[in-house]
Amino acid sequence: MSRVAIRQIALLAIASTAGFVLLMAALSWASNLTSTSGATLDAIDAETGTVTLSLTQEPPQLDSTRATDTVSGRILGHVMEGLLRYDVNNRLVPGVAERSDVRTDSATFHLREDARWSDGEPVTAHDFVFAWQTAVDPATASQYAFIFYVVKNAEAINTGKLPREALGVRAVSARVLEVEFEQPVAYFDKLVAFPTYYPIREDFYLSREGRYAADAVDMLYNGPFEITVWVHGAHVRLEKNPDYWNRGEIRLNVIDFPYITSDGNAALNLYRDGKIAEVNGLGADSLDQVLKQRWPVKRYSDGSVWFFQLNHRSDHPTGNYHLRKALQLVNDPGELVYKVIKIPSYTPGESLFPTWLKGENGLFRQEYPAPTVTPDVTLAREHLDRAKRELSVDEIPPLVLLADDTPGASKQAEYYQNRLMQTLGLEIRIDKQIFKQRLAKVEAGEFDVALYGWGPDFDDPLTFADLFASWNPNNHGEYANAELDAQVRIAQQSTDPATRMAAFGRIQDILFEDVAVIPNYERGQMYIQDPRLRGVARRAVGPDPDYTQAYIAVD
């Protein structure tokens, strides 16, 4: 070997060694960068009190006056707190209000002296007054403004007839909040735990100049946790709020969401690799993998019902009663649940009112059984022919079926596409959208049929009964029925349980008779959870899952 060759080999060795050193330094720097961003290598870190989880979607809206979805509600339920909140046993307990006096015509709430915002300033009665006035202000365009209609003048304000200052809520002092009702109310205590009733501090809200809740720094928090990292579409990190009044009872220090994915298989892989502590909403394919791994499966009812949201506008074919009736007569929730979804915790839908709702003396659906329909393709085709005559068309134009882009929603949409073509010869165009865009499209009425679900906002049948009231902004298909509206008013204004339940029973019948909605299923959730993570509340009403009382078990 020549000296030149030896020299070249030596230089290559030196270069390789230097490259290796630089690579190790880069990896070390990247590792440090990752750790400072909040991600952890283990789903459970008992030493730091950190739990690592995933979200299915980016939270679309964390302004509590405008939030409408469950993902945003889940985050808000950990970083904010209302006058009352739900405990680990799903009971309403004192929140910011240490004491309350709820009467049939009014209510008084006494706020805690040690309730604080995350900047150390006290939470005052004025913060609730400002938030509630903002929610009902027409300029806010809150889809949940209607939930305040039990408060004096709220509806008149929201419809532009009165100024926001006329709302029947006032700060008697910094720590005393008084509320006057529009009419007698039997369920107001259940409303004030809902996110739209959370407080907002006026000076901070105005200082954001229209960007309130756009980023983590654009929010103040009064709940058990605060958002310390929010990389949109990628990462949300919650850390224990040192200014929370009940911080001594909060046992987790960090709830980290460094993964945002709606892909069930991706979530399972993260769980298998020990990177997340929980996987929610197991689908049929995921469930098979879980059972093969012999991971313990947990289940519960999340309280939601899923259905066809139909567009009742006159310029949509589904505005025709006979077309809707044809769709109702070929719908087979049993086939959908048992042959398509194939998840044991799901049950076929019969009503907008789920089976778990309480009635006067027992369960509502036992006291007021839902009307049922037997699939009948022949009768459905007769109604379809009548629809064509009334619409003056030879064929129904293609119907737009709006759905999420998740695997489960895609499977259901394709099932309906095939079934409606086979039974009625209807062409269905599936419009699959990411979660946030699907919300925007359904709110804009850009659909004929939407795969839609509704979970309870509060523990009373009214949370389902008023969904299709003509004034409800969540009535995206613009269904309108004067008798239904009247029954909703009866249920809102009466304090007599029998009268209210009779009104709900009639609403259930109207929705069926008019084919305002076509029920598909009631959803039960199946999930897996790291056995070291305990005390997580799963519920139908309130933030779900709720980690405020969760802890890490150290064996």
Side-chain angles (χ1 to χ4, degrees):
M1 185 178 292
S2 68
R3 290 181 179 179
V4 173
I6 292 172
R7 182 186 302 171
Q8 289 176 340
I9 291 172
L11 289 172
L12 283 171
I14 293 170
S16 297
T17 302
F20 179 78
V21 171
L22 287 173
L23 176 61
M24 291 299 100
L27 289 173
S28 175
W29 173 81
S31 175
N32 289 334
L33 181 62
T34 300
S35 64
T36 56
S37 73
T40 60
L41 297 177
D42 190 1
I44 301 286
D45 188 336
E47 185 176 346
T48 63
T50 300
V51 174
T52 302
L53 304 161
S54 65
L55 289 173
T56 55
Q57 305 284 349
E58 157 87 353
Q61 179 59 262
L62 292 183
D63 178 347
S64 56
T65 67
R66 296 190 292 155
T68 63
D69 65 284
T70 56
V71 178
S72 300
R74 176 181 178 183
I75 299 298
L76 285 170
H78 288 83
V79 301
M80 300 295 292
E81 183 172 83
L83 296 165
L84 302 178
R85 67 175 300 119
Y86 287 95
D87 70 4
V88 70
N89 297 311
N90 301 327
R91 298 172 304 191
L92 278 176
V93 295
V96 174
E98 62 182 355
R99 182 163 51 91
S100 57
D101 179 17
V102 180
R103 302 169 291 275
T104 58
D105 61 347
S106 60
T108 305
F109 298 92
H110 300 268
L111 278 55
R112 299 177 185 279
E113 186 176 3
D114 55 350
R116 291 284 184 274
W117 291 103
S118 50
D119 64 355
E121 292 295 312
V123 179
T124 70
H126 178 77
D127 301 329
F128 286 92
V129 173
F130 175 75
W132 297 8
Q133 288 179 345
T134 301
V136 299
D137 191 330
T140 303
S142 171
Q143 290 187 48
Y144 267 105
F146 73 91
I147 208 167
F148 286 97
Y149 283 7
V150 296
V151 179
K152 185 74 172 178
N153 295 331
E155 186 171 5
I157 295 167
N158 191 236
T159 54
K161 298 173 183 175
L162 288 174
R164 56 184 282 168
E165 293 77 16
L167 187 65
V169 58
R170 68 189 185 99
V172 177
S173 67
R175 292 178 50 208
V176 178
L177 182 74
E178 262 190 15
V179 186
E180 183 182 0
F181 302 155
E182 185 71 39
Q183 67 272 324
V185 180
Y187 51 91
F188 188 72
D189 57 333
K190 300 173 182 177
L191 294 177
V192 297
F194 190 69
T196 319
Y197 278 82
Y198 289 165
I200 297 175
R201 208 173 78 204
E202 182 176 14
D203 65 319
F204 183 85
Y205 181 93
L206 296 177
S207 74
R208 308 329 288 167
E209 298 181 342
R211 283 190 52 81
Y212 176 75
D215 284 296
V217 296
D218 296 312
M219 296 181 69
L220 275 183
Y221 312 97
N222 77 317
F225 297 88
E226 56 186 343
I227 302 174
T228 57
V229 175
W230 187 4
V231 180
H232 291 280
H235 189 184
V236 178
R237 180 181 173 93
L238 312 182
E239 296 187 10
K240 185 175 178 178
N241 181 359
D243 292 299
Y244 180 56
W245 67 270
N246 200 25
R247 56 192 173 276
E249 295 297 316
I250 308 303
R251 299 167 69 176
L252 294 180
N253 292 321
V254 178
I255 307 172
D256 202 20
F257 301 96
Y259 311 101
I260 297 180
T261 176
S262 60
D263 187 329
N265 289 324
L268 276 182
N269 290 335
L270 289 169
Y271 184 85
R272 183 196 59 206
D273 295 341
K275 294 184 176 181
I276 60 174
E278 189 176 82
V279 179
N280 292 294
L282 296 175
D285 295 338
S286 300
L287 190 58
D288 288 340
Q289 296 182 51
V290 168
L291 294 176
K292 289 177 182 177
Q293 295 287 340
R294 297 187 176 181
W295 291 326
V297 177
K298 298 173 178 285
R299 62 189 291 176
Y300 74 105
S301 171
D302 70 3
S304 65
V305 292
W306 293 75
F307 49 86
F308 279 167
Q309 171 96 287
L310 301 167
N311 199 325
H312 293 264
R313 294 171 177 84
S314 60
D315 58 343
H316 285 256
T318 44
N320 180 272
Y321 165 78
H322 291 287
L323 178 58
R324 299 197 305 273
K325 189 66 180 178
L327 295 175
Q328 183 190 62
L329 285 166
V330 297
N331 192 46
D332 189 344
E335 182 177 76
L336 172 69
V337 168
Y338 300 129
K339 295 185 178 180
V340 180
I341 298 175
K342 295 187 289 189
I343 299 176
S345 54
Y346 282 52
T347 57
E350 293 182 344
S351 170
L352 182 66
F353 295 83
T355 52
W356 59 268
L357 283 172
K358 293 185 288 291
E360 182 180 1
N361 299 305
L363 293 175
F364 170 74
R365 286 272 298 278
Q366 291 177 353
E367 297 172 353
Y368 291 88
T372 57
V373 59
T374 301
D376 187 331
V377 175
T378 300
L379 183 57
R381 288 172 178 168
E382 292 177 9
H383 280 281
L384 180 63
D385 288 340
R386 291 190 64 178
K388 292 176 183 178
R389 290 196 297 272
E390 291 181 0
L391 293 169
S392 302
V393 295
D394 294 329
E395 297 295 336
I396 299 294
L399 300 180
V400 175
L401 176 61
L402 181 62
D404 284 320
D405 66 344
T406 62
S410 297
K411 183 187 293 186
Q412 291 177 42
E414 289 164 7
Y415 161 74
Y416 283 118
Q417 184 180 52
N418 292 331
R419 180 164 180 80
L420 293 176
M421 172 57 74
Q422 292 172 1
T423 57
L424 297 175
L426 293 175
E427 181 182 347
I428 302 298
R429 293 181 179 173
I430 299 173
D431 183 8
K432 290 194 289 189
Q433 298 289 337
I434 62 172
F435 182 63
K436 190 172 184 177
Q437 187 59 29
R438 195 267 295 166
L439 287 178
K441 281 203 160 191
V442 77
E443 290 166 8
E446 297 177 12
F447 66 95
D448 293 307
V449 181
L451 298 185
Y452 200 78
W454 189 256
D457 298 327
F458 53 98
D459 190 10
D460 188 90
L462 185 62
T463 191
F464 293 95
D466 70 356
L467 181 57
F468 290 98
S470 61
W471 60 81
N472 192 324
N474 293 296
N475 177 6
H476 302 301
E478 295 192 356
Y479 173 73
N481 182 295
E483 184 186 357
L484 182 140
D485 286 352
Q487 294 296 327
V488 170
R489 293 297 192 191
I490 290 171
Q492 288 176 329
Q493 298 171 10
S494 176
T495 58
D496 175 57
T499 301
R500 299 187 75 236
M501 295 305 146
F504 295 140
R506 181 57 191 141
I507 291 168
Q508 181 175 239
D509 290 342
I510 293 170
L511 293 172
F512 175 83
E513 294 163 3
D514 217 11
V515 198
V517 59
I518 300 177
N520 288 327
Y521 58 87
E522 293 187 36
R523 188 172 68 181
Q525 291 277 15
M526 303 189 76
Y527 66 102
I528 51 177
Q529 187 179 88
D530 191 305
R532 295 171 291 174
L533 177 59
R534 301 179 187 175
V536 179
R538 306 311 303 256
R539 56 168 68 104
V541 182
D544 174 63
D546 184 352
Y547 304 97
T548 57
Q549 298 296 313
Y551 63 95
I552 297 170
V554 180
D555 297 328

